[in-house]
Amino acid sequence: MSELAPVLFFEQYDSELTQAERSAVAVARNFCADELADVAALAYLRNEPFDQQVISRWGELGFFGLQVETAQGGMGGSFLCKIRVAQEMARHGFAMAFCLNNMQGMATRVSRHGTPRQKEAFLANLMQGRWVGAPAMSEPQGGSDLSKLSCRATRVEGGWVINGSKAWVTNGVIVDLITLLARVPDEEGADIASFLVRVDGPTAVRSEILSSGARSFRLGRIDFRDHFVPDWALLYPPGQAFARSLESINAARVHVAAMCVASLYSAFTIALRYCGERVAFGKPLTGHQGLRWSLADVAMKMEAANSLVFRAASRVQRGQDVTMLAAQAKTLAVEVAVEGVQACMQAMGAIGASAEFPLSMHASELRMAAYADGTSEMLRDRAGKSLAKSYLDS
Ligand SMILES: Cc1cc2nc3c(=O)[nH]c(=O)nc-3n(C[C@H](O)[C@H](O)[C@H](O)COP(=O)(O)OP(=O)(O)OC[C@H]3O[C@@H](n4cnc5c(N)ncnc54)[C@H](O)[C@@H]3O)c2cc1C
């Protein structure tokens, strides 16, 4: 059984894990350092999507089934375990971590909320990484305001046909199965339902959304034209789908925040080590007060963000409401990480921005975290509206 070498920065999470979960995190840590790190760095430097072999290797290790119950062939891991595994990935590449983590989330969703038929059709493929899965909610016309989505599912014999477009789908270029949020018209108006949709054939066309420095997210747009979905593929019916999707977004915000602090931790430790060895004007860079204070500020804000993320994650783990904390944790973690990585690069001098270190990759990929799973502005607005409810005694 692999041992988990303690890292002080992650100790509060690790102390909550079972022995089996700690072993799983240790396996993830070794794999990410030995294999994933190089693949992520190369993809970034070449401005190419990452090598898909990583997906198969991650599947062989069983990580797509991390939160699937053991009775269904998964690891039965907790939310905090999911977070720690995602953090080990994010230390070496936020975008790749985001992709693999989304696939893991898809397997969890099908295992927890899928019907027996849906599980039989999809679960094994998702858990083994043979199929790539992703949530598809955002649309070209807008992502923040989900209530305005325009993709439509129309009733036909034996199922539904989908018309419309989804955009900014992580892994969208290679995705096989999505949870699709669509408007379902009926006599009394229109509501929203969620479907498990195979992305295949000429009625579902994928195209890449090019974003320089962040191609490892494999962002894609999918255009549907009379795409048939059978009856049994309905995941959440009208009346439930919108609320269910928002529920899962809160947990997603917390693990994105956890990944942000892990990427920053990687950049910070690289900078700290380098600045302790590099000499300028007769002393190590960390011997200069100005630079030392700059790194001290990074560490302070990183610790504060990490504590908030842990508080939010603990509430998710206990099944408690996390709407406000998730919005706060994600907003703060993204901002601290983006600013912190820049400070680390600056502290190292020009080499901090070179291909020798992964800091510029972290900077580019973390920048995209400010949009994914809710933009910082939208989350601030949401947090602002709930201040009285969250902080004043009734
Ligand atoms: C790396 C990455 C991965 C993603 N993965 C997925 C995925 O897998 N599936 C998926 O469905 N989507 C995904 N998205 C899409 C993401 O969820 C959207 O980008 C996000 O919801 C914002 O939508 P938008 O980009 O359309 O911006 P818009 O909604 O058009 O917003 C434009 C601007 O208005 C601001 N704004 C919006 N509302 C408010 C408000 N209330 N107050 C103040 N300002 C506001 C925004 O902050 C933003 O600055 C991903 C995006 C990225 C970058």
Side-chain angles (χ1 to χ4, degrees), residues 138-374:
S138 307
E139 300 189 352
Q141 292 76 18
S144 303
D145 187 1
L146 281 182
S147 68
K148 293 286 177 292
L149 58 84
S150 65
C151 194
R152 281 179 172 258
T154 311
R155 210 70 182 95
V156 293
E157 197 179 335
W160 313 76
V161 287
I162 309 291
N163 280 289
S165 300
K166 291 291 168 183
W168 301 102
V169 179
T170 300
N171 276 325
V173 189
I174 51 169
V175 77
D176 299 295
L177 182 75
I178 54 173
T179 46
L180 176 134
L181 217 53
R183 197 162 286 284
V184 181
D186 66 20
E187 309 85 55
E188 289 168 26
D191 204 335
I192 288 169
S194 178
F195 301 87
L196 287 165
V197 177
R198 285 295 318 269
V199 181
D200 56 1
T203 52
V205 178
R206 294 175 284 217
S207 51
E208 182 171 5
I209 300 175
L210 282 168
S211 43
S212 186
R215 289 192 72 196
S216 280
F217 286 104
R218 291 173 178 264
L219 292 165
R221 169 179 169 136
I222 311 171
D223 293 301
F224 297 99
R225 187 142 185 209
D226 291 335
H227 188 66
F228 180 73
V229 179
D231 268 332
W232 59 266
L234 181 69
L235 181 65
Y236 305 132
Q240 287 183 25
F242 196 59
R244 287 285 185 97
S245 303
L246 291 185
E247 254 169 51
S248 64
I249 277 187
N250 282 329
R253 286 174 184 151
V254 177
H255 74 243
V256 170
M259 286 158 53
C260 287
V261 292
S263 294
L264 174 58
Y265 177 76
S266 155
F268 172 72
T269 49
I270 289 168
L272 189 61
R273 214 166 278 125
Y274 179 85
C275 293
E277 288 165 7
R278 173 87 169 176
V279 174
F281 299 99
K283 47 187 172 182
L285 294 175
T286 44
H288 297 279
Q289 190 186 57
L291 190 132
R292 200 165 57 221
W293 283 17
S294 165
L295 289 178
D297 275 352
V298 172
M300 219 167 1
K301 291 175 186 173
M302 181 174 75
E303 287 288 359
N306 196 33
S307 295
L308 178 57
V309 172
F310 180 71
R311 178 156 133 72
S314 302
R315 283 185 68 87
V316 176
Q317 173 100 335
R318 294 194 293 266
Q320 294 167 320
D321 177 58
V322 77
T323 311
M324 169 64 108
L325 280 173
Q328 292 172 324
K330 190 196 165 234
T331 307
L332 184 71
V334 170
E335 290 176 3
V336 165
V338 168
E339 181 193 284
V341 170
Q342 294 295 343
C344 291
M345 284 169 75
Q346 185 64 25
M348 291 173 73
I351 201 167
S354 77
E356 201 167 321
F357 295 102
L359 276 71
S360 60
M361 175 187 73
H362 287 319
S364 285
E365 296 182 350
L366 282 167
R367 180 69 195 80
M368 300 296 273
Y371 308 118
D373 291 306

Side-chain angles (χ1 to χ4, degrees), residues 73-145:
M75 288 185 185
S78 63
F79 183 71
L80 286 176
C81 179
K82 170 199 173 93
I83 279 197
R84 285 295 292 113
V85 169
Q87 286 179 321
E88 291 303 328
M89 292 190 274
R91 286 170 77 174
H92 304 285
F94 182 90
M96 196 190 287
F98 198 83
C99 287
L100 297 177
N101 210 44
N102 263 13
M103 290 177 63
Q104 183 262 316
M106 187 75 174
T108 307
R109 203 169 306 122
V110 171
S111 78
R112 289 184 180 169
H113 304 294
T115 61
R117 173 130 191 216
Q118 290 167 351
K119 287 182 202 172
E120 194 192 320
F122 305 133
L123 191 54
N125 282 324
L126 291 171
M127 282 171 64
Q128 286 155 21
R130 281 200 300 265
W131 281 9
V132 173
M137 297 186 277
S138 307
E139 300 189 352
Q141 292 76 18
S144 303
D145 187 1

